[in-house]
């Protein structure tokens, strides 16, 4: 890690929320008005994810009163309190700029279904299997050494 | 002493306590050792001679090596004088650290800007150039006329024209120190600092933050 990365690491969130392009999310933003603090929620589709390290940002697009509104949030900003993923969508592009030209029904995205084998579940199973294998190998080695 | 020499590492951004995003330049202070104090009586001016950074012994010539040997130093990347500075007797021969700075200080930063080569007037002097349409041909980025006719019959001195740009000594004043990391000997300075990454910059404190 170079010096700049080391400094960036201090300001990154420990567990950055797992978001992908095409997700419908609720972003909880802290807003300070005078001395009061309140939380505002912006719900929309993630259009793009930009940058890396602390400089990572994402753009949320929503239609409010018939007008498309896009807001850019720094992912690691302390003002972004929480990001809830409402829906996941099947997406083939890294940037969904084409949504800007679409309206209503055409602007929908195909939802990813949670049922079936999600990639994360598959990984877990695999690790369990490998762990069992490793344990078996260890046992065999232990037996051998004790015999000798 | 309120001056240090360091190396520009690069830029990034950090978040303040309020959650604001602050652009910062990372300046790593290299080993910066005051060698000699020059005085009004002896040398005609006050200054501190400072050896900064590292240089391969192979690349050091014999007279310079002799100087370093005399002062029991390793060959340095740069030998510079800080004018009108005074170093205490016990500071000589020991590397300076970032302890003299604290967050909120205002500093001036001197560096060598990036070389741009032979640049035209639009880039070099912010001329407006010409229209890309309405009958313009072969001259889109030119500077236009450079003077009058028989009177004065010459081009005035200082006329802004194309030429070498960049690679100059540039000073930027009133930059704010955002953070000081004493362990790593790092300064985080708000905003941009002249020069390319890896270049030497001189940081001088010009206003101390109120406690």
């Amino acid at each position: 890690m170079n010096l700049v990365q080391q400094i960036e690491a201090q300001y990154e969130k420990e567990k950055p929320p797992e978001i992908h392009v095409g997700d419908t999310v609720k972003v909880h933003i802290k807003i300070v008005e005078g001395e009061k603090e309140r939380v505002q929620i912006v719900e929309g589709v993630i259009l793009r994810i930009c940058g890396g390290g602390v400089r990572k940002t994402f753009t949320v697009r929503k239609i409010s009163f018939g007008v498309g509104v896009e807001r850019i949030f720094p992912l690691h900003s302390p003002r972004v309190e929480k990001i809830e993923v409402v829906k996941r969508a099947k997406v083939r592009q890294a940037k969904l700029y084409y949504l800007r030209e679409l309206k209503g029904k055409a602007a929908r995205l195909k939802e990813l279904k949670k049922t079936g084998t999600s990639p994360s579940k598959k990984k877990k199973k695999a690790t369990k299997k490998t762990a069992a294998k490793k344990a078996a190998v260890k046992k065999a080695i232990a037996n051998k050494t004790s015999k000798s | 002493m309120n001056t240090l020499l360091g190396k520009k590492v690069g830029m990034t951004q950090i978040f303040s306590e309020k959650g604001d995003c602050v652009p910062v330049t990372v300046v790593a202070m290299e080993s910066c050792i005051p060698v000699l104090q020059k005085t009004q009586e002896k040398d005609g001016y006050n200054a501190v001679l400072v050896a900064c950074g590292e240089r391969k012994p192979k690349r050091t010539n014999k007279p310079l090596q002799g100087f370093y040997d005399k002062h029991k130093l390793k060959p340095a990347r740069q030998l510079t004088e800080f004018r009108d500075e005074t170093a205490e007797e016990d500071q000589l021969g020991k590397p300076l650290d970032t302890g003299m700075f604290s967050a909120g200080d205002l500093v001036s930063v001197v560096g060598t800007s990036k070389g741009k080569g032979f640049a035209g007037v639009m880039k070099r002097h912010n001329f407006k150039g010409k229209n890309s349409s309405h009958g313009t041909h072969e001259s889109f980025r030119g500077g236009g006329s450079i003077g009058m006719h028989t009177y004065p019959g010459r081009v005035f001195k200082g006329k802004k024209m194309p030429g070498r740009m960049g690679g100059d000594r540039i000073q930027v004043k009133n930059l704010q120190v955002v953070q000081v990391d004493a362990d790593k000997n790092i300064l985080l300075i708000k905003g941009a600092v002249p020069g390319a990454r890896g270049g030497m910059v001189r940081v001088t404190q010009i206003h101390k933050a109120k406690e």
Side-chain angles (χ1 to χ4, degrees):
Chain A
M1 262 210 298
N2 64 31
L3 265 176
V4 173
Q5 284 168 335
Q6 281 175 30
I7 290 157
E8 286 185 352
Q10 292 172 14
Y11 289 89
E12 280 170 31
K13 284 178 182 168
E14 270 177 31
K15 282 180 188 168
E18 203 182 303
I19 51 167
H20 301 279
V21 169
D23 290 358
T24 306
V25 288
K26 278 183 183 172
V27 186
H28 296 240
I29 330 155
K30 251 192 259 174
I31 291 177
V32 181
E33 288 170 331
E35 286 176 14
K36 273 186 202 166
E37 209 182 80
R38 64 185 178 88
V39 174
Q40 193 186 55
I41 297 173
V42 175
E43 186 174 355
V45 181
I46 294 181
L47 212 64
R48 67 175 158 199
I49 298 174
C50 268
V54 264
R55 284 164 283 119
K56 199 170 195 170
T57 59
F58 61 97
T59 305
V60 173
R61 178 180 170 87
K62 72 172 205 173
I63 308 290
S64 112
F65 302 105
V67 182
V69 177
E70 285 176 19
R71 279 191 75 172
I72 303 169
F73 299 103
L75 184 71
H76 294 283
S77 168
R79 279 190 196 159
V80 175
E81 216 167 41
K82 200 169 71 174
I83 302 171
E84 271 178 69
V85 179
V86 182
K87 256 192 284 184
R88 289 247 139 101
K90 192 187 169 189
V91 165
R92 298 176 68 154
Q93 263 80 27
K95 319 272 176 192
L96 304 180
Y97 299 140
Y98 68 88
L99 286 182
R100 289 173 176 163
E101 271 115 56
L102 301 177
K103 271 185 196 170
K105 277 191 174 180
R108 287 173 304 171
L109 293 167
K110 209 172 196 182
E111 199 172 341
L112 263 185
K113 290 204 174 118
K114 279 172 191 171
T115 51
T117 50
S118 68
S120 59
K121 268 187 183 174
K122 254 188 186 176
K123 259 185 195 171
K124 265 184 190 172
K125 270 186 188 172
T127 49
K128 264 185 193 172
K129 264 187 192 173
T130 49
K133 264 187 194 174
K134 271 183 189 171
V137 171
K138 263 190 185 176
K139 259 189 185 176
I141 291 168
N143 282 340
K144 265 187 191 176
T145 48
S146 61
K147 271 177 196 172
S148 61
Chain B
M1 299 282 297
N2 53 9
T3 307
L4 264 187
L5 270 174
K7 198 165 83 176
K8 176 172 169 179
V9 178
M11 285 193 74
T12 182
Q13 65 186 33
I14 61 172
F15 293 104
S16 70
E17 281 172 17
K18 280 183 190 170
D20 294 333
C21 194
V22 185
V24 291
T25 308
V26 182
V27 178
M29 297 306 165
E30 299 198 314
S31 76
C32 192
I33 305 169
V35 187
L36 277 176
Q37 171 76 51
K38 298 206 167 180
T39 53
Q40 182 74 39
E41 301 87 57
K42 210 172 141 197
D43 308 285
Y45 61 98
N46 288 318
V48 179
L49 185 69
V50 175
C52 183
E54 282 175 21
R55 183 203 288 261
K56 283 182 185 169
K58 199 171 81 181
R59 300 208 194 284
T60 318
N61 61 21
K62 276 184 183 165
L64 211 52
Q65 187 64 52
F67 175 83
Y68 289 125
D69 287 343
K70 186 179 158 193
H71 294 281
K72 289 168 191 154
L73 291 173
K74 282 178 187 168
R77 178 175 172 185
Q78 209 174 15
L79 268 177
T80 328
E81 281 179 4
F82 295 164
R83 285 295 283 263
D84 297 324
E85 291 265 5
T86 43
E88 304 291 329
E89 191 76 1
D90 55 334
Q91 277 184 322
L92 296 178
K94 283 175 199 160
L96 297 168
D97 58 14
T98 50
M100 65 181 85
F101 297 106
S102 54
D105 287 359
L106 293 183
V107 291
S108 101
V109 180
V110 177
T112 308
S113 62
K114 282 184 183 174
K116 309 282 181 203
F118 193 97
V121 283
M122 281 178 73
K123 193 188 190 112
R124 194 171 181 223
H125 299 298
N126 298 324
F127 280 21
K128 211 176 162 197
K130 286 169 196 165
N131 226 325
S132 57
S133 64
H134 295 293
T136 314
H137 56 94
E138 289 93 43
S139 148
F140 299 101
R141 297 180 62 90
S145 164
I146 58 166
M148 290 64 82
H149 201 244
T150 321
Y151 180 78
R154 64 191 172 90
V155 177
F156 289 131
K157 271 190 178 171
K159 176 79 200 109
K160 288 172 179 173
M161 286 203 219
R164 284 280 182 96
M165 185 186 170
D168 305 320
R169 182 188 191 269
I170 303 283
Q171 180 176 30
V172 183
K173 288 179 183 171
N174 290 324
L175 293 176
Q176 199 185 355
V177 176
V178 180
Q179 196 185 316
V180 181
D181 192 330
D183 299 336
K184 291 177 190 155
N185 244 0
I186 290 174
L187 281 186
L188 298 190
I189 298 171
K190 187 175 174 183
V193 154
R197 274 169 287 177
M200 298 289 268
V201 287
R202 180 188 291 196
V203 185
T204 312
Q205 188 184 63
I206 50 178
H207 187 264
K208 191 115 184 106
K210 282 173 192 164
E211 302 253 321

